Amino acid sequence: MSERFFDVADFAYAHRGLWDSATPENSLAAFRAAAAAGVGVELDVRLSFDGRPVVFHDASLQRMCNHRELIERVAMVDLARWPLPDGSAIPTLEAVLDIMAGLPVLIEIKVDGLAGEIADRVAEA
């Protein structure tokens, strides 16, 4: 079997990274903690307004960033105005994949409307 393939049952997984009350879900810190623990992760990907794959569960920034806008309506550069609860930025998929470096990553592609280009963007990453 190719090095790119693995048996998902061979790994434990951290849902949205390895997070707790001090480390928000889907933050770079949560993914660093998962990588340090040697576990795979499940994460959610959405596209920003300008087509960048970002790691974020909800359609809206409300629950995690206290802002009512939808992710799909905000350009990547503007997402920095609404940080996660620990003050960190919403991560790109590329940044998370770099952190996970060879550990399994299960990607849930979030599509609220028409599918559009998200599958292509995720595959590129």
Side-chain angles (χ1 to χ4, degrees):
M1 188 179 295
S2 164
E3 290 179 28
R4 291 182 53 111
F5 295 95
F6 58 90
D7 184 344
V8 294
D10 289 343
F11 290 87
Y13 294 87
H15 185 238
R16 300 182 197 160
L18 198 55
W19 55 278
D20 58 25
S21 61
T23 306
E25 68 185 55
N26 285 326
S27 65
L28 290 179
F31 295 113
R32 284 187 194 104
V39 299
V41 295
E42 178 278 341
L43 55 80
D44 309 287
V45 174
R46 296 179 175 281
L47 288 183
S48 64
F49 180 75
D50 48 347
R52 295 283 309 274
V54 295
V55 179
F56 202 78
H57 177 267
D58 302 352
S60 166
L61 294 163
Q62 183 66 47
R63 178 176 67 90
M64 294 299 296
C65 304
N66 199 30
H67 182 66
R68 296 182 67 178
E69 192 62 81
L70 298 174
I71 286 273
E72 67 185 19
R73 293 185 182 165
V74 182
M76 189 70 214
V77 68
D78 295 324
L79 284 176
R81 296 186 343 201
W82 299 289
L84 295 171
D86 67 347
S88 67
I90 295 168
T92 63
L93 177 58
E94 293 89 352
V96 173
L97 293 175
D98 285 345
I99 289 168
M100 295 308 296
L103 288 166
V105 177
L106 306 177
I107 299 173
E108 180 176 338
I109 297 174
K110 296 290 195 174
V111 180
D112 297 311
L114 297 175
E117 64 185 299
I118 191 167
D120 290 337
R121 296 291 176 150
V122 169
E124 288 170 8

